Amino acid sequence: MSHYDDREIRDPAERERDLFARLPAQIAHAQSGAPAFAASLKGIDPATVTSREALARLPVIRKSELLEQQKCARPFGGFSAVRWGSACKRVFSSPGPLYEPEGARPDYYRLARALYAAGFREGDLVHNTFAYHFTPAGSMMETAAHALGCTVFPAGVGQTELQLAAMADLQPNAYVGTPSFLRILLDKADEVGVKPTFTKAFVSGEAFPPSIRDAFAARGVRASQAYATADIGLIAYETPGGEGMVVGEDIVLEVVRPGTGDPVPDGEVGEVVVTTLNPDYPLIRFGTGDLSAIMPGMSACGRTNVRIRGWMGRADQTTKVKGMFVHPGQIADVVRRHPEIGRGRLVVDNPGLNDRMTLHCESSVGGDTLAASIAASIRELTKLRGEVSFCAPGSLANDGKLIDDIRKYD
């Protein structure tokens, strides 16, 4: 079987209907079971949220809000619908600290389909080098491998010599971990005369450029990657179809203009926002802070969900100018005020070591009157003076940036 289940190859319209038929119940569940959503979604009738347009009207919840709420309401800030006990199998910590629950359901993070696409099958012995303490990566991969019927050696990180000894004794055929640690293991194995037995690998946590992928393939290891977070679990994954990543099942993925909740057109780079149907941690419009873009067409592997371009950087471009924080949302508000602007980008530089802000605006109109009006909006919304420069529609880079800080202090 070339696909994990039939849901991966169903008609896209059927998937969309299914997601939005299930969404109202998930929103109602979040309102009743997670106090933070009872507050943020107060007055929202779940029965009315049956389309992407309706979903886009709900507020985006970002990690900064999770952190602030967790300081007031331990352990999960009121965003989780599970508490200590049998429904909450583990709790993990991410930098912040930010605490996340792991529910008791099998394959809680839904990564089994990503491992399956990477060639993992029942009977494989998986050498899992992700950490098993504090952060959830080790458990995320182990629970997925178990769902496929794989056996897992919980190697964790470090202790290269002991890991090589285990590889020599157990002969694992599959690796899970960062690409850099796989390279270390393979190089060290060559150095000490241990024959690596990996034929497949699932990597994450770092950049995975084609040069490293090709180097692994030359050594007989086919490696794939996925995009996942501790909060959401699987978001998208690579398949044998090649370019891009296929979005996972049981989530609604949007790409929005950074600093806002406004969806951007397909193909435009923006922040990935995910609504999950996970009943234990029912995150509604969770802003990942990551940049990506929706790709046209479907994967050549036959999976029919939309594809994204993978991780393309961070969306939080907040910077400080003359002692004042300037946020992407403020720049988006400036652009929104003036329909003559297509896209805008605030460039911050410092000629003569003096901070300067220039809002570059795509516009076919331009003119001194419009420039003055835009400059007034910049001052009103940021409390700072800013210059305005017009450019041709479509000329700004499609990289999701609303703020580009290019100051140098040499």
Side-chain angles (χ1 to χ4, degrees):
M1 181 177 174
S2 58
H3 303 107
Y4 181 67
D5 57 26
D6 288 342
R7 295 200 302 157
E8 292 186 340
I9 56 175
R10 58 184 160 166
D11 184 274
E14 178 188 346
R15 179 182 293 107
E16 192 80 349
R17 286 194 299 270
D18 174 60
L19 288 172
F20 284 94
R22 297 162 62 191
L23 184 57
Q26 177 73 336
I27 293 173
H29 172 64
Q31 289 173 318
S32 63
F37 282 112
S40 67
L41 300 179
K42 185 177 181 179
I44 300 296
D45 180 0
T48 65
V49 188
T50 57
S51 67
R52 289 185 177 269
E53 293 74 20
L55 179 62
R57 290 192 284 270
L58 303 186
V60 173
I61 300 296
R62 292 190 165 84
K63 282 202 176 190
S64 58
E65 295 174 67
L66 296 187
L67 282 167
E68 288 304 312
Q69 291 276 59
Q70 286 195 5
K71 292 175 183 177
C72 304
R74 296 293 185 189
F76 305 121
F79 289 95
S80 173
V82 294
R83 309 294 185 265
W84 305 142
S86 59
C88 185
K89 192 173 182 179
R90 299 182 182 92
V91 58
F92 290 104
S93 174
S94 296
L98 181 65
Y99 298 101
E100 295 112 353
E102 180 186 311
R105 291 174 293 105
D107 190 26
Y108 174 78
Y109 300 98
R110 300 173 295 102
L111 274 156
R113 71 176 62 253
L115 290 184
Y116 191 92
F120 286 52
R121 296 292 185 271
E122 182 173 358
D124 287 343
L125 175 58
V126 178
H127 191 93
N128 184 6
T129 67
F130 275 119
Y132 275 79
H133 64 284
F134 271 83
T135 60
S139 183
M140 291 171 76
M141 301 303 171
E142 180 172 283
T143 52
H146 285 166
L148 293 178
C150 302
T151 299
V152 176
F153 178 69
V157 295
Q159 299 181 299
T160 306
E161 290 77 11
L162 289 177
Q163 299 224 21
L164 289 175
M167 288 164 53
D169 292 338
L170 298 174
Q171 304 281 291
N173 66 328
Y175 167 92
V176 166
T178 63
S180 61
F181 194 60
L182 175 57
R183 186 170 54 193
I184 289 171
L185 287 180
L186 293 176
D187 290 346
K188 190 67 174 178
D190 288 346
E191 184 181 317
V192 301
V194 172
K195 181 175 175 56
T197 52
F198 301 138
T199 60
K200 63 192 80 171
F202 186 81
V203 300
S204 192
E206 295 175 350
F208 187 43
S211 59
I212 297 179
R213 187 194 302 269
D214 293 344
F216 290 155
R219 303 180 76 162
V221 183
R222 177 186 167 229
S224 300
Q225 64 177 331
Y227 167 34
T229 70
D231 325 88
I232 298 295
L234 178 65
I235 295 176
Y237 57 105
E238 287 187 333
T239 76
E243 189 179 8
M245 291 184 176
V246 176
V247 173
E249 303 294 330
D250 300 314
I251 63 171
V252 179
L253 182 142
E254 304 169 90
V255 178
V256 308
R257 203 168 307 285
T260 77
D262 304 331
V264 300
D266 288 358
E268 186 169 328
V269 177
E271 181 185 7
V272 175
V273 169
V274 178
T275 296
T276 174
L277 295 177
N278 175 2
D280 299 338
Y281 201 25
L283 295 175
I284 309 298
R285 296 206 86 201
F286 175 69
T288 64
D290 297 324
L291 293 173
S292 193
I294 291 175
M295 299 174 62
M298 290 185 291
S299 173
C301 70
R303 291 171 177 83
T304 57
N305 212 343
V306 298
R307 294 178 299 159
I308 61 174
R309 289 172 57 186
W311 187 83
M312 299 177 67
R314 294 294 293 170
D316 185 8
Q317 301 149 27
T318 297
T319 192
K320 186 178 276 189
V321 180
K322 297 180 179 179
M324 299 282 289
F325 281 109
V326 181
H327 303 274
Q330 293 172 309
I331 305 309
D333 285 343
V334 172
V335 172
R336 195 180 292 113
R337 279 191 178 189
H338 301 276
E340 301 92 342
I341 303 175
R343 286 191 296 175
R345 177 194 298 255
L346 185 75
V347 175
V348 183
D349 60 3
N350 59 340
L353 297 182
N354 293 312
D355 287 349
R356 177 177 65 182
M357 302 194 314
T358 305
L359 183 61
H360 295 258
C361 304
E362 291 185 355
S363 177
S364 57
V365 181
D368 292 342
T369 301
L370 178 58
S373 178
I374 295 171
S377 294
I378 294 172
R379 183 162 181 80
E380 178 183 346
L381 292 170
T382 69
K383 311 306 178 188
L384 294 163
R385 294 185 184 277
E387 300 177 9
V388 175
S389 175
F390 294 110
C391 56
S395 61
L396 293 178
N398 180 21
D399 56 9
K401 283 189 177 181
L402 283 172
I403 300 176
D404 191 10
D405 190 340
I406 60 172
R407 287 175 288 189
K408 295 181 181 179
Y409 300 94
D410 298 337

